[in-house]
Amino acid sequence: MRKFIFVILASCAAHAEAQPRWTAIQCMQYAVEHNHEVRRTELELDNYKVAKTSAAGRFLPAVDANIGAQYNFGRAIDPETNGYTNVSTFYNGYSIQASLPVFDGFNRLHALKAAKASVMMGHQALRQQQDKTALNVLQAYVNVVYDEGMVSMAKEKLQETELLLRQTRLLEEVGRKSAADVALVESQHAEADYELTHQQNLLAAALLELKKEMAYPLTDSIAVVLPKDTKCSDTGAQPFCSPLLPALQQAQYQVETSKHEWNQARAALYPTLSLSAGLSTTYYKTLHTENAQSFAKQFSNNMGEYVGVTLSIPIFNRMQTVSNIRKAKNNYQMACEAYEQKHAELEKLSREAWLDWQGYLKQTAQMEKKVEADSLAYQLTYHQYEEGLSTAIDLQTTSAQLLHSKATLLQCRLMAMVKQQLVRYYQGITIWTE
């Protein structure tokens, strides 16, 4: 039975180790493919494409066909004699007509251009949502890596306190430590055990947040790759905002769309010219009589054709055209202002990301020196504690200081990595396709 249990535990451990770990790029790519906001933006882009197809279809002629049947009883007009009759009759009519606007003040042309600009704006909106999703996943991924690092530090701290507790109890037995020292170390051990449980709970919450951002099944397990070295060096890049950023391109296409919509509203001031043509025929029969002509003969004899030209000149429509033109012009000017505001905002954010990146690089270098110093101080205090030259409180203070320095160093390294990717994003580089 013991061998059987050991085999089961070994197989479970092997399965856990064999579980593939996800890199940051893999997490971002999975999120871009499965995120609900990205899928919703894809559907919005398809609506823009449908609107473009509809705008292009306005250049084609409109064709309608009509079929009507009418049963008359009582007093009615006889179509053969054009006089009144009191007999029941059956009337059947067929018609087909086509119409094509020749000139409409370039309304259709500007509508098509506006639809094309909207499609391009939809593409940029999709890219922006994909990038936003990727950046959110990157931040969630970094939080998981940080929490896993904190769990690892907490485990090390717990092991150290366990070893220290055993040593302190041995020193108590030989009379070199008192019961108060043992109680203080036991308190430190309990605190380390609590901290480990706390960090494990934070890690579980971070994993849930990562799964949510990725649209990953919450009931499935996921493990991330722990980077062995999260250092990132300064590449010498200067802060700048790329004009190809999706958010900036989206604002630019919005300006173009608003401009064409303004021209489309002004097209209502021009007259419209349209052509029309059609065919029509009828069939008539007086019921309960044998003298009616056949359907085929009436269908051919009653056939008629027409061709028409219509010129519509706008004169006064209660100021609706002027109001629409003014609104469209205001929308265009607001789009221009929004573009300038977005450009300034992205320029500011790109410079802030660059400054944060440089700051975290410097903080990382400083914290590496501090961790070395705190580690040396902890080792010296530990040896002094073994020799009875320092107390458990001194050892706890230096240990907590070292743990805080390690956690800060890990945070600085991870944040430097995030800010570096953010700088590359503002430079127009797609970070989730590498």
Side-chain angles (χ1 to χ4, degrees), residues 235-255:
T235 59
Q238 296 299 320
F240 76 96
C241 177
S242 172
L244 300 179
L245 274 177
L248 196 59
Q249 289 284 303
Q250 184 180 2
Q252 183 177 356
Y253 284 119
Q254 180 62 53
V255 171

Side-chain angles (χ1 to χ4, degrees), residues 104-105 263-272 312-315 317 321-322 325:
D104 57 355
N263 293 329
Q264 185 179 357
R266 290 191 294 183
L269 296 174
Y270 297 92
T272 59
S312 176
I313 302 175
I315 297 178
N317 64 346
T321 301
V322 177
I325 292 175

